[in-house]
Amino acid sequence: MTNPLRNLKLKTRMTLVLGLMALLQTGFLGLFALNHLNESLEEQVAERALQVAKTIAVMPEIIAAVKASDTAFLQPLSLQLAEVTHARFVVIGDKHGLRLSHPTPERIGKPMNDDDEDGVGGEYNNPALLDGKAYVQKATGSLGVSIRGKTPIVDQGGDIVGIVSVGFILDTVESILARYRTTLLIAILSAFMLSVLIALWFARHFKKAIFGLEPEQIGLLFEERNATLESIREGIIAINAEGVITTFNRAALNTLNLSNKDGLLGQPIQKVLPDSQMISVLENGQPQFDQEVWLGEACFITNRLPVRQDDRIIGVVSSFRPKDELDMVSRKLTRIRQYADSLRSQTHEYSNKLHTIAGLIQIGAAKEALALIGQETENHQALIDLLVAAIPDPVLAGCLLGKYNRARELGLRLIIDSESHMTDIPAHIPRELLVSVIGNLLDNAFEATLSHTGAGGEVSLTMTDLGNDLIFEIEDQGAGIPLEEQARIFERGVSTKGEPNRGIGLHLVNQLLTRMGATIIIEPADLCGSRFTVYIPKKKPSIDPKSTQE
């Protein structure tokens, strides 16, 4: 069954609920107050009736008249006493319970048991006459519903000679209660209206705090948010202003090797990740983008953003993923680019050669055409023989062949030392990282040489795997790198060319070498330019993990 309240706006629902609560509370309090007031008034009336009866019972003339059964004296006196005390009636009876006075003269001389329910078998079993006890009662008598106070009349000898009954009709009590009912009804309606106004104000304030959304919309957004978090491959962790974890996704658990999913919420971030930088972001409010952090032997790329509300920092959200994934994409793109450059260079070079050979054949210079073909074949065959003998690894050999063709396309010469030897490359060194390092260093050498000497310049490469390191030495004929710039050349965005969007290649080289535990040295070349020497240890480095983390 559909809940009709779900079709109402939040403001309407809150107004109805708060108004109904106020109505029920004030109604309950009003009924309780009226009931308590009724009981209190009846107690006061009963106490007054008993006190008046006791006062009349000790009057000497009353005692004497009762003993003498002097109705003529008692009848007008009882009427006068009732008027003076504002009682509904004052009835005086003898020791047998027979009326000696009554507001209705016709009832004089008759038993008082028709006013009470104490008569048994025609005898009057009134406690005041039998036991001498004064008491009060609420009963329906010949004069209607009344509260009565009854007390025995005792002579000087202590004998019970009669009884006095003083009654007050409840009309007075009812009139007082009626006035209070009206007052309470006004109070209830006023409280209801005040509650409605408060509910409207609170609902407006509450709606503003939740950006005008309805509860069902918030629930839907919550479900969408959970689904979104779980669908993201990046790890997500969020903390509140106290540094307590409020949100995380499954990718965060898997990436950071965390467990106890149910116990992670509500835990301080410093307890889960002791050296987390999220606390510093929480304190200074400065976002952090693309930060590299280490956890164990894994490197992560992390972004941390403060969450603000009304210029207050109420939390921090951190996203992170293993750097390996980004490096893998980068390496794949680098290899694709290298293959493309290699193919383009070879296509361009062989196109020129074919045009030259075709021209020689057309003019009848067959010997020259054959000589050119033989020279080209000899040069490439010599390079291929060198690469096959010195570098059995096909990935590195293919990279160098592509760079050789790229240099020729640029009008440069890439000279690979014939004494080079690179056959002992450990399996733990990723070939993609090695190719990225050598490829970027060669590209940098090509640019430096071309910008300084122009076409015809040379770039040399020497390799050796003797000893404990793989050593690569790349020498260019560029303008050289000043000593004061060598410390900054590997920073991102720093370039000796002074052009925008440069300074990426050497920064990437430095990152890759750091990951492999390698070092690089920059020296002036023999004639001009710079010499880059890379030392990559054959032994797998034991990474000293830096503190993380999220």
Side-chain angles (χ1 to χ4, degrees), residues 182-203:
T182 303
T183 303
L184 286 174
L185 181 60
I186 295 175
I188 290 173
L189 292 177
S190 300
F192 176 74
M193 295 303 298
L194 180 62
S195 298
V196 170
L197 294 177
I198 293 176
L200 290 173
W201 173 83
F202 182 73

Side-chain angles (χ1 to χ4, degrees), residues 86 180 264 279 282 341 354 456 475 503 528:
H86 302 287
Y180 277 98
L264 196 59
I279 297 299
L282 189 64
D341 289 343
L354 288 175
E475 187 173 325
C528 65

Side-chain angles (χ1 to χ4, degrees), residues 417-431:
D417 190 349
S418 60
E419 300 297 326
S420 294
H421 192 266
M422 191 60 60
T423 60
D424 187 19
I425 302 177
H428 69 82
I429 297 179
R431 299 309 188 264

Side-chain angles (χ1 to χ4, degrees), residues 337-338 403 406 438-448:
R337 187 184 64 181
Q338 290 172 347
K403 294 303 178 183
R406 176 60 176 165
I438 303 305
N440 276 287
L441 289 176
L442 287 174
D443 287 339
N444 188 71
F446 292 161
E447 292 185 15

Side-chain angles (χ1 to χ4, degrees), residues 251-276:
L253 296 177
N254 298 334
T255 302
L256 299 178
N257 294 322
L258 297 176
S259 59
N260 190 16
K261 178 179 179 181
D262 294 335
L264 196 59
L265 286 178
Q267 293 288 334
I269 187 66
Q270 295 288 49
K271 181 178 179 181
V272 178
L273 299 171
D275 298 312
S276 173

Side-chain angles (χ1 to χ4, degrees), residues 264-475:
L264 196 59
L265 286 178
Q267 293 288 334
I269 187 66
Q270 295 288 49
K271 181 178 179 181
V272 178
L273 299 171
D275 298 312
S276 173
Q277 296 300 313
M278 295 178 71
I279 297 299
S280 63
V281 177
L282 189 64
E283 293 172 351
N284 57 40
Q286 297 297 322
Q288 299 177 358
F289 298 102
D290 298 330
Q291 299 287 314
E292 292 188 15
V293 296
W294 288 86
L295 177 60
E297 295 186 358
C299 183
F300 296 91
I301 301 297
T302 305
N303 295 286
R304 306 181 186 97
L305 292 174
V307 180
R308 301 179 183 272
Q309 184 180 49
D310 299 331
D311 297 329
R312 293 186 303 108
I313 299 177
I314 61 173
V316 176
V317 176
S318 175
S319 65
F320 51 91
R321 69 185 306 167
K323 188 174 182 292
D324 289 346
E325 297 183 11
L326 300 178
D327 286 346
M328 185 182 300
V329 174
S330 177
R331 290 195 297 268
K332 288 181 178 179
L333 292 176
T334 300
R335 291 178 62 183
I336 292 173
R337 187 184 64 181
Q338 290 172 347
Y339 294 153
D341 289 343
S342 178
L343 291 174
R344 185 178 66 252
S345 300
Q346 293 185 33
T347 300
H348 183 267
E349 181 181 1
Y350 282 107
S351 177
N352 292 332
K353 298 295 183 181
L354 288 175
H355 289 155
T356 302
I357 294 171
L360 291 173
I361 294 174
Q362 288 179 359
I363 63 175
K367 292 183 179 180
E368 288 78 2
L370 291 174
L372 180 61
I373 294 173
Q375 179 185 359
E376 185 66 25
T377 303
E378 181 180 356
N379 290 338
H380 272 273
Q381 188 60 45
L383 175 63
I384 293 173
D385 291 341
L386 172 62
L387 293 178
V388 170
I391 311 172
D393 186 271
V395 176
L396 181 58
C399 172
L400 295 180
L401 180 59
K403 294 303 178 183
Y404 178 85
N405 293 324
R406 176 60 176 165
R408 296 186 63 177
E409 181 186 13
L410 295 173
L412 303 174
R413 293 181 61 200
L414 173 60
I415 301 175
I416 301 177
D417 190 349
S418 60
E419 300 297 326
S420 294
H421 192 266
M422 191 60 60
T423 60
D424 187 19
I425 302 177
H428 69 82
I429 297 179
R431 299 309 188 264
E432 293 83 0
L433 268 63
L434 192 60
V435 167
S436 294
V437 170
I438 303 305
N440 276 287
L441 289 176
L442 287 174
D443 287 339
N444 188 71
F446 292 161
E447 292 185 15
T449 302
L450 193 62
S451 63
H452 187 254
T453 64
E458 294 182 356
V459 173
S460 63
L461 170 64
T462 302
M463 301 171 289
T464 180
D465 57 1
L466 299 178
N468 298 324
D469 300 317
L470 303 180
I471 302 175
F472 296 86
E473 187 177 280
I474 299 173
E475 187 173 325

Side-chain angles (χ1 to χ4, degrees), residues 206-214 309:
F206 188 74
K207 287 276 285 185
K208 182 180 179 181
I210 60 175
F211 304 100
L213 299 174
E214 294 296 322
Q309 184 180 49

